[in-house]
Amino acid sequence: MPQVIIVGAGLAGLCAAAALRQAGHQVQIFEKSQFLGEVGAAVVLSPNSSSVLAQMGFSFDRARVRQLKTWESVDGITLDAIGSVDQSGCEEKFGMPLMGVHRVDLHNELMRLACDDSQQASSTGAVSVRCGVKVVGVMPDEGYVQLEDGTRHYADLVVAADGLHSVARAAVVGADGVTSAYTGFSAFRFLIPSDMVKGNPEFDEVLSWKSDGLSVLLDTRDKINERHMAWYECQGIAPDIRSWPLMKNDPLRKWSKGKVLLIGDAAHAMLPFGGQGANQALEDGGALGYLFRGVDNAAEIPTRLALFETVRRKRASRIQILSTVRIGKEIEVEKLLQEYGEPGVSLPTNFEERTHHDFSFKLLNRCDEVLEAARAIKC
């Protein structure tokens, strides 16, 4: 059975580890931090990723998700509605509801799927995690990672899930292929515990206006700078405020080289417009495990990596491009999207079309399609 190393234990890395374990593979995770954990506030779980998680046995109850019944854009000055998509029928339309979840709860449940011994009892796969080990180099042809202490660790497949500042990306696409530019935007993420504002008349008044879902409040007075606030519910509390500078990255022309594969932000770092960054990382992990079912020798890996890119690269690149524009401005990137078009896929030009494009994708069905096509060619 092929041996797999995953660099990074974030959402993409843990989802990939859990999916590969369920496919019967031996996985070792190298995580540079001293503990398995996640920071940040809430994320939106959309049907395109939550349907994959459901197939993996992910417990939405344990992750304390909250259903989001609308997705609306609002004038942040007057609180007048600009546009709204009713998501109360999301489950009926797309198979799963739209949900909000605390990033820590999402991470913890993925860690349970990947590392809990009781989860591994029904599978021949296994996952081990080494924390506090920093990968400083990756060699695609030889198939090893080099740690800060100088040691080398070999595998049949190295999955680089090490984020925006990936040490593996340049080894896959070349130094010239790594472009990242500061947008001038920053994201401030925080949660306000409900019990801190209960009884405040002004906040109660705002809550009476707030819809049961995700509201994007736009600064409509400033025609030059983009300012907006996304507001939705999740369980848990995190009273600290963190700021992230937002970087724009162009889609990569390839995600793999030799024995190394990029996933998550290492492959397609996104801006927050559209709320698909975490969802695309989860699609990556789910697709990798699904496509590597039945792979029992290393000779099959190059073919499966090619299938993975067929399933994921253009899909994630479209969403990466869409992530650069605010809701309602999808038409501005129509020409860029055309470069990553696929047969049977309509390119979105407005918010409603964008929602359908993102949410309606059936990842595992698409994996079955490319697997069947590959078998047909082989026969």
Side-chain angles (χ1 to χ4, degrees), residues 169-181:
R169 190 188 298 116
V172 172
V173 301
D176 294 338
V178 182
T179 58
S180 183

Side-chain angles (χ1 to χ4, degrees), residues 225-245:
N225 301 300
E226 294 273 1
R227 295 189 180 94
H228 80 265
M229 180 178 75
W231 178 9
Y232 54 99
E233 293 183 2
C234 75
Q235 296 286 82
I237 61 172
D240 61 322
I241 299 176
R242 294 176 180 267
S243 174
W244 283 266

Side-chain angles (χ1 to χ4, degrees), residues 21 104 147 157 271 311 320:
R21 180 196 63 74
V104 172
L147 304 186
L157 174 64
L271 293 172
V311 170
Q320 186 179 18

